[in-house]
Amino acid sequence: IPPPPPPPPMASPAVQVAPRAVSSKTESYVDNKRKDDIRMSNITSARSVADAVRTSLGPKGMDKMISTASGEVIITNDGATILNKMEVLQPAAKMLVELSKSQDVVAGDGTTTVVVIAGALLKQCQTLLHSGIHPTLVSDSLHKASLKAVEILAAMAVPVELSDRDSLVKSASTSLNSKVVSQYSSLLAPLAVDSVLSVVDPHKPDLVDLRDVKIVKKLGGTVDDTELVKGLVFDKKVSHSAGGPTRVENAKIAVIQFQISPPKTDIEQSIIVSDYTQMDRILKEERNYILSMIKKIKATGCNVLLIQKSILRDAVTDLSLHYLAKAKILVVKDVERDDIEFITKTLNCLPISNIEHFRAEKLGYADLVEEVSIGDGKVVKITGIKDMGRTTTVLVRGSNQLVLDEAERSLHDALCVVRCLVNKKFLIAGGGAPEIELSRQLGAWAKVLQGMESYCIRSFAEALEVIPYTLAENAGLNPIAIVTELRNRHAQGEINAGINVRKGQITNILEENVVQPLLVSTSAITLATECVRMILKIDDIVTVRIRSSNRFTRSYEQGKEHKL
């Protein structure tokens, strides 16, 4: 038997190590254990927040009942409200709460969508990181994918004119259809459109300040009784304890920020009255002081007073109300300081801070000021305002406080949708159509690219399918069958094919009038990717504890220890 061949000569350690080191740098990324654990902990926490609101997405989504520490109960399916009320402690999970707030500020609608997209992107990132891809490479690919997605959405969008009221109403209805008060969308959608269009300034047509639309809530009746008021509504009664008027025609209205009551000393002190003559003299001076003020007010022709709430002393006393009633002046007291700007803009008048500045040119004019009974309470309405500013008031009604609060939140979302269309005059299909089209086109684009970037973008394209999948799931449909059919229809060129949850099938969603502003979709994609990229880049959490830096305290404690 021939002897076995000698073993090959051993290579030097340098020759063996070099290829392994090169391959670990170029092919896969191996992080140290602590950084990996921190990153995975952040992603898992953020995903759990996204999963909490996922069931409330879409017209058939579930509502959440939130019970606060103070005993307050809120029923809503608005993503921003749900997350805002949740007590989230993990720092990365808090970023998703802030993400929802950002979407609420930018677009006003799509607050649930943006969190669900962020959760799906994080899930894909987790898979990519487990595969050994570096977080920076994943983050850069995500940024490129988001820019490409915004381009695709812009190409799908349909231009709209503000004169096309029907299109605006359709987009507002789509927003309201996923709310608790969806059955009232036929009433609230036109109301939201009319409110926003009435406050648009022709000199600044692209800017809408929703602070010019005041929402006043009044318990009683149903949401059907909600109305748009061309004027002002105060959720309080007229002060007629002294028998003053409750209805004034051809009103001259003053908004005052001073008190019609006896003055007080600047510093805390007491006045001792020794006999009745001095007391009579004080009371007489008080009467003369108030009477002289009311004479100056009456001399300008003013017959309606709106008095700002005072924190220093009573804005009006029983004596001043008595004299105002004698002068036939209608009084609404305790007007909030925050409302003064809106009131003066609406009435086209100036607030008066001192009786010496009370002049006729600072007054506002209206055809009618009256107290109206609504439900179990009363409100004050001011209508027919002369030279009225670009503002409007919506009086929202509801059978209970929960419905009333949700109606206000839903109306705010509808107003924001119309504002989006004023800012960026483009509409896009709803019902999961844009997300499936994005997924299809990004997947095709990923095939053109090379290397890890292609692999990452393909994963992000798959993540966007979470929106149609969730819509189908929440509607009780078969999500796999629906999404597969939706992909097939889009591959055949039907870019507006989407899920019609009412019919339980796939239809041309534009023909079904399910539309949303382009700004809602683009901001959701952009903000979600920005948040996910930030979470990916975090590899450690540093906790800073507050320590006593007072030298005296430290030396005192050391002295105590020394004595012991």
Side-chain angles (χ1 to χ4, degrees):
I1 299 168
M10 287 189 67
S12 65
V15 175
Q16 279 188 325
V17 172
R20 203 175 300 161
V22 171
S23 65
S24 68
K25 284 182 182 175
T26 55
E27 290 176 16
S28 66
Y29 169 71
V30 182
D31 203 349
N32 67 47
K33 190 77 178 84
R34 174 177 164 74
K35 290 181 179 178
D36 194 43
D37 286 348
I38 292 285
R39 194 173 280 116
M40 289 304 156
S41 164
N42 287 344
I43 291 174
T44 307
S45 303
R47 279 184 60 196
S48 65
V49 170
D51 290 339
V53 295
R54 193 179 152 193
T55 53
S56 64
L57 181 72
K60 299 282 185 179
M62 296 294 164
D63 302 331
K64 307 287 183 196
M65 180 180 275
I66 303 161
S67 178
T68 63
S70 60
E72 182 191 3
V73 175
I74 299 166
I75 298 173
T76 182
N77 66 355
D78 178 48
T81 308
I82 295 166
L83 292 174
N84 200 22
K85 297 293 179 183
M86 281 169 64
E87 287 189 22
V88 180
L89 301 176
Q90 215 274 351
K94 280 183 181 175
M95 289 170 69
L96 258 71
V97 178
E98 296 303 319
L99 169 67
S100 185
K101 286 181 185 173
S102 301
Q103 176 73 3
D104 200 28
V105 169
V106 174
D109 197 22
T111 49
T112 310
T113 306
V114 72
V115 175
V116 172
I117 290 174
L121 289 174
L122 285 167
K123 184 181 178 182
Q124 292 293 343
C125 290
Q126 213 165 7
T127 310
L128 293 170
L129 292 174
H130 280 311
S131 303
I133 302 174
H134 196 284
T136 305
L137 186 59
V138 178
S139 173
D140 292 345
S141 303
L142 184 53
H143 180 57
K144 286 183 182 177
S146 75
L147 295 176
K148 182 73 174 175
V150 171
E151 286 177 24
I152 295 167
L153 287 172
M156 286 176 66
V158 180
V160 65
E161 291 297 326
L162 292 184
S163 54
D164 184 5
R165 186 170 177 272
D166 287 346
S167 295
L168 302 183
V169 171
K170 285 173 193 172
S171 61
S173 295
T174 305
S175 168
L176 289 164
N177 281 338
S178 63
K179 307 295 180 191
V180 177
V181 292
S182 57
Q183 66 267 36
Y184 302 109
S185 60
S186 57
L187 165 75
L188 296 178
L191 196 138
V193 171
D194 293 340
S195 300
V196 173
L197 293 182
S198 65
V199 301
V200 173
D201 189 347
H203 301 298
K204 297 174 184 174
D206 295 338
L207 291 175
V208 175
D209 188 353
L210 288 185
R211 286 175 296 185
D212 292 338
V213 180
K214 185 171 169 55
I215 299 175
V216 178
K217 297 183 290 183
K218 192 67 181 172
L219 200 60
T222 63
V223 181
D224 279 324
D225 301 323
T226 299
E227 60 177 319
L228 184 68
V229 179
K230 281 282 182 186
L232 278 174
V233 177
F234 295 97
D235 184 16
K236 42 178 66 74
K237 297 187 290 185
V238 171
S239 299
H240 44 66
S241 56
T246 58
R247 176 188 167 95
V248 174
E249 293 181 1
N250 298 323
K252 294 181 179 178
I253 307 161
V255 180
I256 64 169
Q257 296 178 303
F258 58 87
Q259 295 83 25
I260 307 177
S261 57
K264 285 188 175 180
T265 52
D266 291 337
I267 55 173
E268 187 72 32
Q269 59 177 315
S270 56
I271 300 168
I272 298 167
V273 180
S274 55
D275 61 2
Y276 285 113
T277 54
Q278 287 180 329
M279 192 182 290
D280 285 344
R281 188 179 164 201
I282 289 171
L283 292 172
K284 188 178 179 183
E285 284 298 323
E286 280 185 4
R287 280 198 296 271
N288 289 341
Y289 178 80
I290 291 169
L291 206 52
S292 67
M293 289 177 84
I294 290 167
K295 280 180 180 175
K296 286 179 183 176
I297 292 168
K298 190 66 180 170
T300 60
C302 170
N303 52 14
V304 176
L305 270 186
L306 307 178
I307 306 175
Q308 182 182 307
K309 185 185 282 188
S310 172
I311 56 170
L312 299 173
R313 64 178 198 264
D314 293 335
V316 284
T317 60
D318 289 342
L319 184 63
S320 56
L321 283 174
H322 170 74
Y323 284 137
L324 286 165
K326 285 281 184 74
K328 295 287 185 287
I329 295 174
L330 185 147
V331 179
V332 179
K333 62 180 182 178
D334 294 340
V335 175
E336 295 292 339
R337 182 186 293 270
D338 298 337
D339 295 338
I340 294 293
E341 186 183 349
F342 178 82
I343 292 165
T344 51
K345 185 175 181 179
T346 306
L347 293 172
N348 199 15
C349 66
L350 293 170
I352 303 165
S353 56
N354 195 301
I355 187 66
E356 301 302 327
H357 303 148
F358 206 105
R359 289 190 289 276
E361 58 265 25
K362 292 191 175 184
L363 304 181
Y365 299 89
D367 293 340
L368 181 64
V369 178
E370 63 176 338
E371 185 181 69
V372 183
S373 293
I374 289 182
D376 59 349
K378 294 182 178 181
V379 297
V380 178
K381 277 188 181 180
I382 302 177
T383 51
I385 298 169
K386 186 182 173 187
D387 299 329
M388 182 176 163
R390 290 191 172 276
T391 62
T392 190
T393 306
V394 180
L395 181 60
V396 179
R397 307 290 304 286
S399 55
N400 61 55
Q401 197 63 42
L402 298 175
V403 171
L404 204 57
D405 291 342
E406 184 60 17
E408 184 196 12
R409 282 190 289 270
S410 304
L411 189 58
H412 175 263
D413 280 6
L415 291 169
C416 288
V417 163
V418 184
R419 183 189 66 181
C420 285
L421 288 172
V422 172
N423 293 348
K424 203 170 187 177
K425 300 176 181 65
F426 286 95
L427 279 173
I428 199 166
E435 285 81 13
I436 280 284
E437 185 63 19
L438 281 177
S439 177
R440 189 185 70 80
Q441 292 201 31
L442 285 175
W445 185 51
K447 290 176 184 175
V448 180
L449 300 170
Q450 293 179 344
M452 289 296 180
E453 201 174 64
S454 165
Y455 191 67
C456 294
I457 287 173
R458 192 172 70 216
S459 296
F460 301 143
E462 288 172 15
L464 291 172
E465 289 182 359
V466 72
I467 298 296
Y469 188 94
T470 308
L471 284 174
E473 197 176 45
N474 289 348
L477 308 173
N478 183 343
I480 296 172
I482 288 283
V483 172
T484 307
E485 176 62 19
L486 202 52
R487 276 188 201 153
N488 181 32
R489 297 280 283 271
H490 276 260
Q492 292 170 8
E494 296 180 34
I495 62 168
N496 291 322
I499 303 169
N500 187 330
V501 291
R502 285 189 169 75
K503 292 181 180 175
Q505 60 191 38
I506 292 165
T507 56
N508 186 326
I509 218 75
L510 270 185
E511 291 174 3
E512 299 286 342
N513 298 331
V514 179
V515 289
Q516 62 188 30
L518 174 63
L519 190 61
V520 171
S521 294
T522 53
S523 70
I525 296 286
T526 311
L527 291 172
T529 49
E530 194 177 285
C531 179
V532 170
R533 289 181 69 207
M534 201 175 288
I535 291 172
L536 277 177
K537 289 291 189 78
I538 298 166
D539 70 348
D540 208 347
I541 296 175
V542 180
T543 308
V544 180
R545 301 190 187 283
I546 299 170
R547 293 183 179 178
S548 174
S549 59
N550 192 326
R551 241 181 301 172
F552 173 75
T553 308
R554 280 208 304 271
S555 60
Y556 175 70
E557 287 171 355
Q558 286 165 2
K560 280 205 303 187
E561 286 171 11
H562 181 67
K563 282 179 186 176
L564 289 169

Short mmCIF file of all heavy atoms in Angstrom, two decimals, residues 98-142:
data_model
loop_
_atom_site.label_atom_id
_atom_site.label_comp_id
_atom_site.label_asym_id
_atom_site.label_seq_id
_atom_site.Cartn_x
_atom_site.Cartn_y
_atom_site.Cartn_z
N GLU A 98 -45.67 60.91 18.01
CA GLU A 98 -45.32 62.21 17.41
C GLU A 98 -45.54 62.19 15.90
O GLU A 98 -45.91 63.20 15.31
CB GLU A 98 -43.86 62.55 17.72
CG GLU A 98 -43.55 62.76 19.19
CD GLU A 98 -44.40 63.85 19.83
OE1 GLU A 98 -44.60 64.89 19.17
OE2 GLU A 98 -44.88 63.65 20.96
N LEU A 99 -45.29 61.03 15.27
CA LEU A 99 -45.51 60.88 13.83
C LEU A 99 -46.98 61.13 13.49
O LEU A 99 -47.30 61.84 12.52
CB LEU A 99 -45.10 59.46 13.41
CG LEU A 99 -45.47 58.99 12.01
CD1 LEU A 99 -44.71 59.78 10.96
CD2 LEU A 99 -45.18 57.51 11.85
N SER A 100 -47.87 60.55 14.30
CA SER A 100 -49.30 60.74 14.07
C SER A 100 -49.70 62.21 14.24
O SER A 100 -50.51 62.74 13.47
CB SER A 100 -50.08 59.87 15.06
OG SER A 100 -51.45 59.93 14.81
N LYS A 101 -49.10 62.88 15.24
CA LYS A 101 -49.37 64.32 15.45
C LYS A 101 -48.89 65.13 14.26
O LYS A 101 -49.55 66.09 13.83
CB LYS A 101 -48.66 64.81 16.73
CG LYS A 101 -49.33 64.36 18.01
CD LYS A 101 -48.57 64.93 19.21
CE LYS A 101 -49.11 64.41 20.53
NZ LYS A 101 -48.27 64.82 21.66
N SER A 102 -47.72 64.77 13.71
CA SER A 102 -47.17 65.50 12.55
C SER A 102 -48.11 65.38 11.35
O SER A 102 -48.37 66.37 10.65
CB SER A 102 -45.80 64.93 12.16
OG SER A 102 -44.92 65.03 13.23
N GLN A 103 -48.64 64.17 11.11
CA GLN A 103 -49.57 63.97 10.00
C GLN A 103 -50.84 64.79 10.23
O GLN A 103 -51.42 65.34 9.28
CB GLN A 103 -49.91 62.48 9.88
CG GLN A 103 -50.95 62.13 8.82
CD GLN A 103 -50.43 62.22 7.41
OE1 GLN A 103 -49.26 62.51 7.18
NE2 GLN A 103 -51.29 62.00 6.44
N ASP A 104 -51.26 64.89 11.50
CA ASP A 104 -52.46 65.68 11.83
C ASP A 104 -52.24 67.15 11.52
O ASP A 104 -53.14 67.85 11.06
CB ASP A 104 -52.80 65.48 13.31
CG ASP A 104 -54.24 65.83 13.64
OD1 ASP A 104 -55.09 65.70 12.73
OD2 ASP A 104 -54.52 66.22 14.78
N VAL A 105 -51.02 67.63 11.77
CA VAL A 105 -50.70 69.05 11.51
C VAL A 105 -50.60 69.31 10.01
O VAL A 105 -51.14 70.28 9.49
CB VAL A 105 -49.39 69.45 12.22
CG1 VAL A 105 -48.91 70.81 11.76
CG2 VAL A 105 -49.57 69.44 13.73
N VAL A 106 -49.89 68.41 9.29
CA VAL A 106 -49.63 68.63 7.86
C VAL A 106 -50.89 68.44 7.03
O VAL A 106 -51.24 69.28 6.21
CB VAL A 106 -48.52 67.67 7.36
CG1 VAL A 106 -48.34 67.78 5.85
CG2 VAL A 106 -47.22 67.97 8.05
N ALA A 107 -51.58 67.30 7.24
CA ALA A 107 -52.71 66.96 6.38
C ALA A 107 -54.05 66.93 7.11
O ALA A 107 -55.09 67.17 6.52
CB ALA A 107 -52.46 65.61 5.71
N GLY A 108 -54.03 66.60 8.41
CA GLY A 108 -55.29 66.55 9.17
C GLY A 108 -55.98 65.21 9.08
O GLY A 108 -56.75 64.84 9.96
N ASP A 109 -55.73 64.44 8.00
CA ASP A 109 -56.34 63.13 7.83
C ASP A 109 -55.22 62.11 7.58
O ASP A 109 -54.08 62.50 7.31
CB ASP A 109 -57.31 63.16 6.65
CG ASP A 109 -58.27 61.98 6.67
OD1 ASP A 109 -58.47 61.40 7.74
OD2 ASP A 109 -58.83 61.65 5.60
N GLY A 110 -55.54 60.82 7.64
CA GLY A 110 -54.52 59.80 7.39
C GLY A 110 -53.62 59.54 8.59
O GLY A 110 -52.52 59.04 8.44
N THR A 111 -54.11 59.87 9.80
CA THR A 111 -53.28 59.71 11.00
C THR A 111 -53.10 58.24 11.37
O THR A 111 -52.07 57.87 11.94
CB THR A 111 -53.89 60.47 12.20
OG1 THR A 111 -55.29 60.12 12.30
CG2 THR A 111 -53.78 61.96 12.03
N THR A 112 -54.10 57.40 11.05
CA THR A 112 -53.95 55.96 11.28
C THR A 112 -53.08 55.34 10.19
O THR A 112 -52.20 54.52 10.47
CB THR A 112 -55.33 55.28 11.31
OG1 THR A 112 -56.19 56.00 12.19
CG2 THR A 112 -55.23 53.85 11.78
N THR A 113 -53.31 55.75 8.94
CA THR A 113 -52.57 55.21 7.79
C THR A 113 -51.07 55.37 7.97
O THR A 113 -50.30 54.44 7.73
CB THR A 113 -53.01 55.94 6.49
OG1 THR A 113 -54.42 55.85 6.37
CG2 THR A 113 -52.35 55.35 5.27
N VAL A 114 -50.64 56.55 8.41
CA VAL A 114 -49.20 56.84 8.52
C VAL A 114 -48.53 55.93 9.55
O VAL A 114 -47.41 55.45 9.35
CB VAL A 114 -48.96 58.34 8.83
CG1 VAL A 114 -49.34 58.71 10.24
CG2 VAL A 114 -47.53 58.73 8.58
N VAL A 115 -49.24 55.63 10.65
CA VAL A 115 -48.68 54.76 11.69
C VAL A 115 -48.64 53.31 11.20
O VAL A 115 -47.67 52.58 11.46
CB VAL A 115 -49.50 54.89 13.00
CG1 VAL A 115 -49.01 53.92 14.05
CG2 VAL A 115 -49.42 56.31 13.53
N VAL A 116 -49.68 52.87 10.48
CA VAL A 116 -49.73 51.50 9.96
C VAL A 116 -48.61 51.28 8.94
O VAL A 116 -47.93 50.24 8.94
CB VAL A 116 -51.12 51.20 9.35
CG1 VAL A 116 -51.12 49.86 8.63
CG2 VAL A 116 -52.18 51.20 10.44
N ILE A 117 -48.38 52.28 8.06
CA ILE A 117 -47.29 52.17 7.06
C ILE A 117 -45.94 52.09 7.78
O ILE A 117 -45.09 51.28 7.42
CB ILE A 117 -47.33 53.37 6.07
CG1 ILE A 117 -48.54 53.26 5.15
CG2 ILE A 117 -46.05 53.43 5.24
CD1 ILE A 117 -48.75 54.46 4.24
N ALA A 118 -45.75 52.95 8.80
CA ALA A 118 -44.49 52.94 9.56
C ALA A 118 -44.26 51.57 10.21
O ALA A 118 -43.15 51.03 10.19
CB ALA A 118 -44.50 54.04 10.62
N GLY A 119 -45.33 50.97 10.77
CA GLY A 119 -45.21 49.64 11.39
C GLY A 119 -44.82 48.57 10.38
O GLY A 119 -43.98 47.71 10.67
N ALA A 120 -45.40 48.63 9.16
CA ALA A 120 -45.08 47.65 8.12
C ALA A 120 -43.64 47.81 7.63
O ALA A 120 -42.94 46.82 7.39
CB ALA A 120 -46.05 47.81 6.95
N LEU A 121 -43.20 49.07 7.50
CA LEU A 121 -41.82 49.32 7.07
C LEU A 121 -40.82 48.80 8.12
O LEU A 121 -39.79 48.22 7.78
CB LEU A 121 -41.59 50.82 6.84
CG LEU A 121 -42.27 51.45 5.62
CD1 LEU A 121 -42.09 52.96 5.62
CD2 LEU A 121 -41.72 50.87 4.33
N LEU A 122 -41.16 48.99 9.40
CA LEU A 122 -40.29 48.51 10.48
C LEU A 122 -40.19 46.98 10.48
O LEU A 122 -39.13 46.41 10.74
CB LEU A 122 -40.81 49.00 11.84
CG LEU A 122 -40.56 50.47 12.15
CD1 LEU A 122 -41.37 50.91 13.35
CD2 LEU A 122 -39.08 50.74 12.39
N LYS A 123 -41.31 46.33 10.15
CA LYS A 123 -41.31 44.86 10.08
C LYS A 123 -40.34 44.38 8.99
O LYS A 123 -39.57 43.44 9.20
CB LYS A 123 -42.72 44.36 9.79
CG LYS A 123 -42.85 42.85 9.79
CD LYS A 123 -44.27 42.42 9.47
CE LYS A 123 -44.37 40.90 9.43
NZ LYS A 123 -45.74 40.44 9.08
N GLN A 124 -40.38 45.06 7.83
CA GLN A 124 -39.48 44.69 6.74
C GLN A 124 -38.02 45.00 7.11
O GLN A 124 -37.11 44.23 6.77
CB GLN A 124 -39.86 45.43 5.46
CG GLN A 124 -41.18 45.00 4.84
CD GLN A 124 -41.16 43.58 4.31
OE1 GLN A 124 -40.11 43.00 4.11
NE2 GLN A 124 -42.33 43.01 4.10
N CYS A 125 -37.82 46.12 7.81
CA CYS A 125 -36.46 46.49 8.24
C CYS A 125 -35.88 45.43 9.18
O CYS A 125 -34.69 45.12 9.13
CB CYS A 125 -36.47 47.84 8.95
SG CYS A 125 -36.79 49.22 7.86
N GLN A 126 -36.74 44.90 10.05
CA GLN A 126 -36.31 43.86 10.99
C GLN A 126 -35.78 42.64 10.22
O GLN A 126 -34.73 42.08 10.56
CB GLN A 126 -37.51 43.45 11.86
CG GLN A 126 -37.13 43.07 13.26
CD GLN A 126 -38.34 43.02 14.18
OE1 GLN A 126 -39.48 43.14 13.74
NE2 GLN A 126 -38.10 42.83 15.45
N THR A 127 -36.51 42.26 9.16
CA THR A 127 -36.09 41.11 8.34
C THR A 127 -34.77 41.40 7.64
O THR A 127 -33.87 40.54 7.59
CB THR A 127 -37.18 40.81 7.27
OG1 THR A 127 -38.45 40.74 7.91
CG2 THR A 127 -36.91 39.51 6.55
N LEU A 128 -34.63 42.63 7.12
CA LEU A 128 -33.40 43.00 6.40
C LEU A 128 -32.19 43.02 7.36
O LEU A 128 -31.10 42.58 6.99
CB LEU A 128 -33.57 44.37 5.74
CG LEU A 128 -34.58 44.45 4.59
CD1 LEU A 128 -34.82 45.90 4.19
CD2 LEU A 128 -34.12 43.66 3.38
N LEU A 129 -32.41 43.51 8.57
CA LEU A 129 -31.31 43.56 9.55
C LEU A 129 -30.89 42.14 9.97
O LEU A 129 -29.72 41.87 10.15
CB LEU A 129 -31.72 44.37 10.78
CG LEU A 129 -31.93 45.88 10.56
CD1 LEU A 129 -32.47 46.53 11.82
CD2 LEU A 129 -30.65 46.57 10.14
N HIS A 130 -31.88 41.25 10.10
CA HIS A 130 -31.57 39.86 10.43
C HIS A 130 -30.77 39.20 9.31
O HIS A 130 -30.00 38.27 9.56
CB HIS A 130 -32.85 39.07 10.69
CG HIS A 130 -33.42 39.27 12.06
ND1 HIS A 130 -32.65 39.18 13.21
CD2 HIS A 130 -34.67 39.59 12.49
CE1 HIS A 130 -33.40 39.42 14.27
NE2 HIS A 130 -34.64 39.68 13.86
N SER A 131 -30.97 39.68 8.08
CA SER A 131 -30.23 39.13 6.94
C SER A 131 -28.79 39.62 6.91
O SER A 131 -27.99 39.18 6.08
CB SER A 131 -30.92 39.52 5.62
OG SER A 131 -32.25 39.09 5.63
N GLY A 132 -28.46 40.59 7.77
CA GLY A 132 -27.08 41.09 7.86
C GLY A 132 -26.81 42.34 7.06
O GLY A 132 -25.66 42.70 6.82
N ILE A 133 -27.87 43.06 6.63
CA ILE A 133 -27.68 44.31 5.87
C ILE A 133 -27.48 45.46 6.85
O ILE A 133 -28.18 45.54 7.87
CB ILE A 133 -28.88 44.58 4.94
CG1 ILE A 133 -29.07 43.40 3.98
CG2 ILE A 133 -28.69 45.86 4.15
CD1 ILE A 133 -30.30 43.49 3.11
N HIS A 134 -26.56 46.35 6.54
CA HIS A 134 -26.24 47.46 7.45
C HIS A 134 -27.40 48.45 7.53
O HIS A 134 -28.03 48.78 6.51
CB HIS A 134 -24.99 48.19 6.93
CG HIS A 134 -24.37 49.08 7.98
ND1 HIS A 134 -24.91 50.29 8.31
CD2 HIS A 134 -23.27 48.92 8.76
CE1 HIS A 134 -24.17 50.85 9.25
NE2 HIS A 134 -23.16 50.04 9.54
N PRO A 135 -27.72 48.94 8.75
CA PRO A 135 -28.85 49.89 8.92
C PRO A 135 -28.73 51.13 8.04
O PRO A 135 -29.74 51.65 7.57
CB PRO A 135 -28.79 50.26 10.40
CG PRO A 135 -28.03 49.18 11.05
CD PRO A 135 -27.11 48.61 10.05
N THR A 136 -27.52 51.64 7.84
CA THR A 136 -27.35 52.85 7.01
C THR A 136 -27.76 52.59 5.57
O THR A 136 -28.40 53.43 4.94
CB THR A 136 -25.88 53.32 7.06
OG1 THR A 136 -25.50 53.50 8.41
CG2 THR A 136 -25.70 54.63 6.31
N LEU A 137 -27.43 51.41 5.06
CA LEU A 137 -27.80 51.05 3.70
C LEU A 137 -29.32 50.91 3.58
O LEU A 137 -29.93 51.38 2.61
CB LEU A 137 -27.11 49.74 3.30
CG LEU A 137 -27.28 49.28 1.85
CD1 LEU A 137 -26.76 50.33 0.88
CD2 LEU A 137 -26.56 47.96 1.62
N VAL A 138 -29.94 50.32 4.60
CA VAL A 138 -31.41 50.19 4.62
C VAL A 138 -32.05 51.57 4.65
O VAL A 138 -33.00 51.85 3.91
CB VAL A 138 -31.86 49.36 5.85
CG1 VAL A 138 -33.38 49.27 5.91
CG2 VAL A 138 -31.25 47.98 5.83
N SER A 139 -31.50 52.46 5.47
CA SER A 139 -32.04 53.81 5.62
C SER A 139 -31.94 54.60 4.32
O SER A 139 -32.90 55.26 3.89
CB SER A 139 -31.27 54.53 6.73
OG SER A 139 -31.64 55.88 6.81
N ASP A 140 -30.78 54.52 3.64
CA ASP A 140 -30.60 55.25 2.37
C ASP A 140 -31.53 54.73 1.28
O ASP A 140 -32.09 55.51 0.51
CB ASP A 140 -29.14 55.14 1.90
CG ASP A 140 -28.18 55.88 2.82
OD1 ASP A 140 -28.68 56.70 3.62
OD2 ASP A 140 -26.95 55.64 2.76
N SER A 141 -31.71 53.41 1.24
CA SER A 141 -32.61 52.81 0.25
C SER A 141 -34.05 53.26 0.50
O SER A 141 -34.81 53.54 -0.43
CB SER A 141 -32.55 51.28 0.32
OG SER A 141 -31.24 50.83 0.13
N LEU A 142 -34.41 53.35 1.77
CA LEU A 142 -35.76 53.80 2.15
C LEU A 142 -36.01 55.23 1.69
O LEU A 142 -37.10 55.57 1.20
CB LEU A 142 -35.92 53.67 3.66
CG LEU A 142 -37.28 53.99 4.28
CD1 LEU A 142 -38.37 53.21 3.60
CD2 LEU A 142 -37.28 53.67 5.76
#
